[in-house]
């Protein structure tokens, strides 16, 4: 297995050293690249570099994210775009640099909160909704595209780094383990007709008391059938 990992800080990214050690131990050949996914020239250079190794890019996982929570009334053009760009502009850059090459998968990471809304995250929700619309547009062009709207994941990642697990549990949102998340990702990639998947576990009836969006028609089916989100 050949993996090219890309982040703004490259090998200096949080948790990078442990991740690289683990991937190498498992037998993967890993290269690390420092680049901003919104930078077209930088991403072209990354793809060209990977292609010249003799193992051209065959699949993409777009997981870039920036958070800057604030009331919408306090947001400025710059603060909104800072959160929107990694999701929306990033996926457009990836689509551009990869062109029409045959890919086995093109996966974007969204959030389950996009369906129900989240306080002070209009900017983040907008970026994720763009990913969902982009996925459908790319699929309409007969290109592979999948978006996964994840729930909280424990053991690694943002929720763990910021100690949000207990806060989520008090709100009746339950994290899933990394192994479970990887199993779900494998299941999604095995279904070529899948475009949007929400994977979240929560007491949705209780969540409706503090998420006004839950009373709208959009999440109604999921609330009625809670098992569908697990």
């Amino acid at each position: 297995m050949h993996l090219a990992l890309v982040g703004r800080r490259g090998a200096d990214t949080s948790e990078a050293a442990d991740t690289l050690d683990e991937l190498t131990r498992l037998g993967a050949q890993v290269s690390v690249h420092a680049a901003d996914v919104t930078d077209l020239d930088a991403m072209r250079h990354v793809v060209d570099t990977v292609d010249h190794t003799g193992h051209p890019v065959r699949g993409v996982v777009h997981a870039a994210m920036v958070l800057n929570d604030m009331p919408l009334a306090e947001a400025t053009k710059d603060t909104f775009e800072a959160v929107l760009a990694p999701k929306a502009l990033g996926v457009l850059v990836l689509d551009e640099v990869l062109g029409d090459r045959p890919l086995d998968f093109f996966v974007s990471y969204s959030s389950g909160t996009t369906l129900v809304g989240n306080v002070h995250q209009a900017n983040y929700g907008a970026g994720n909704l763009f990913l969902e619309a982009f996925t459908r547009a790319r699929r309409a062009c007969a290109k592979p595209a999948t978006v996964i709207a994840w729930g909280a994941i424990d053991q690694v990642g943002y929720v763990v780094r910021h100690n949000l697990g207990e806060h989520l549990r008090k709100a009746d949102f339950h994290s899933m383990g990394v192994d479970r998340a990887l199993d779900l990702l494998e299941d999604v990639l095995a279904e070529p007709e899948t475009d949007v998947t929400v994977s979240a576990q929560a007491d949705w009836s209780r969540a409706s008391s503090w998420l006004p969006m839950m009373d709208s028609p959009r999440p109604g089916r999921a609330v009625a059938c809670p098992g569908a989100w697990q």
Side-chain angles (χ1 to χ4, degrees):
M1 177 186 296
H2 298 265
L3 298 174
L5 305 181
V6 185
R8 285 172 297 169
R9 294 182 296 276
D12 292 331
T13 301
S14 175
E15 304 170 359
D18 290 342
T19 300
L20 290 173
D21 288 344
E22 178 67 10
L23 289 171
T24 301
R25 186 184 67 79
L26 293 172
Q29 297 186 35
V30 186
S31 60
V32 181
H33 309 266
D36 188 326
V37 72
T38 66
D39 186 327
L40 182 60
D41 291 337
M43 291 309 300
R44 278 197 174 120
H45 177 71
V46 170
V47 172
D48 287 344
T49 299
V50 173
D51 284 346
H52 283 118
T53 66
H55 300 280
V57 177
R58 293 300 305 270
V60 173
V61 176
H62 174 41
M65 178 187 78
V66 168
L67 290 179
N68 187 10
D69 296 358
M70 64 180 62
L72 183 58
E74 297 178 9
T76 66
K77 179 177 181 291
D78 289 341
T79 61
F80 203 93
E81 288 183 351
V83 177
L84 188 65
K87 297 281 187 179
L89 181 55
V91 80
L92 292 175
V93 166
L94 290 170
D95 184 60
E96 174 69 20
V97 299
L98 293 169
D100 294 322
R101 71 172 61 202
L103 298 176
D104 296 326
F105 54 87
F106 189 117
V107 179
S108 299
Y109 281 5
S110 175
S111 167
T113 61
T114 306
L115 181 66
V116 297
N118 201 11
V119 177
H120 296 171
Q121 287 193 337
N123 45 17
Y124 184 59
N128 286 321
L129 283 171
F130 184 92
L131 291 179
E132 295 182 9
F134 167 85
T135 293
R136 293 185 174 97
R138 184 177 162 89
R139 289 170 61 82
C141 296
K143 296 180 180 181
T146 302
V147 60
I148 304 180
W150 290 109
I153 297 175
D154 59 26
Q155 297 173 274
V156 297
Y158 186 88
V159 170
V160 173
R161 287 198 300 271
H162 294 270
N163 299 313
L164 297 178
E166 183 61 27
H167 172 74
L168 290 171
R169 282 189 291 273
K170 288 180 179 178
D172 285 299
F173 281 84
H174 308 291
S175 302
M176 73 183 78
V178 172
D179 289 342
R180 174 59 175 157
L182 291 175
D183 286 343
L184 288 168
L185 175 60
E186 183 177 0
D187 291 343
V188 170
L189 292 178
E191 295 292 338
E193 298 305 315
T194 300
D195 53 2
V196 178
T197 299
V198 176
S199 178
Q201 299 180 71
D203 184 337
W204 297 108
S205 60
R206 288 191 60 182
S208 63
S209 66
W210 59 277
L211 287 173
M213 182 81 172
M214 296 300 292
D215 292 328
S216 69
R218 189 176 187 219
R221 183 179 178 185
V223 175
C225 306
W229 281 29
Q230 298 181 12

